[in-house]
Amino acid sequence: MIEIVDTEVDVARVVAAVADPASGATVTFVGTTRAHNAGRRVRRLEYEAYEPMALAEMRKIAATCYERWPIVRIAIVHRLGVVALGEASVVIAVSAAHRADAFAACHYAIDRLKEVVPIWKKEHFEGGEVWIGAQSGPPQG
């Protein structure tokens, strides 16, 4: 399961997508909107993406996980649009026979997703808004 959605991410559905009798461990990462960042009171986050490229990069990340670790399954789902405080913006689930491989693959997947997937995050806070992250915002023009 590699998806970009514009509604609430169903964490249970993502975890269910990696269930397999061959796995003995499932590791899940759930990225949520927190109330404070860099000394600012956050009101909400808003995500935009170049979806075809984002999905392609997410599939590459999953393929790399399959190559590097003996995982059973991986699922990556990212949300676009406005994400309220406490709601999930990204969910990654990885199943493997052993926990070390599931942890390593999940850690790699979220770090790599933040590095290369063209999804941009705008933080709305008290008194303003700013694009944050490794990229300064969506392409202009």
Side-chain angles (χ1 to χ4, degrees):
M1 167 190 288
I2 305 293
E3 295 180 350
I4 293 175
V5 299
D6 60 3
T7 58
E8 187 173 328
V9 179
D10 183 341
V11 177
R13 184 174 155 265
V14 179
V15 172
V18 302
D20 190 292
S23 68
T26 299
V27 171
T28 305
F29 173 82
V30 180
T32 58
T33 303
R34 64 179 179 271
H36 292 87
N37 184 45
R40 298 184 294 252
R41 178 173 276 178
V42 175
R43 293 182 176 205
R44 66 184 181 280
L45 296 177
E46 184 175 353
Y47 292 88
E48 294 183 15
Y50 176 47
E51 287 188 51
M53 184 178 284
L55 287 166
E57 292 297 327
M58 291 162 68
R59 288 185 190 104
K60 287 181 189 174
I61 291 168
T64 299
C65 288
Y66 283 115
E67 291 170 9
R68 290 188 180 181
W69 296 278
I71 63 172
V72 176
R73 293 186 184 178
I74 183 169
I76 304 172
V77 178
H78 204 296
R79 181 175 173 181
L80 299 182
V82 174
V83 181
L85 295 178
E87 292 185 351
S89 54
V90 60
V91 178
I92 299 173
V94 180
S95 62
H98 303 285
R99 68 181 181 274
D101 296 318
F103 274 115
C106 192
H107 187 208
Y108 169 82
I110 185 60
D111 283 356
R112 193 70 180 143
L113 183 145
K114 291 177 100 36
E115 290 172 356
V116 301
V117 176
I119 295 176
W120 302 280
K121 176 170 58 176
K122 182 185 275 186
E123 180 182 281
H124 297 263
F125 56 90
E126 287 184 357
E129 60 188 33
V130 63
W131 290 100
I132 59 174
Q135 300 157 326
S136 60
Q140 302 298 313

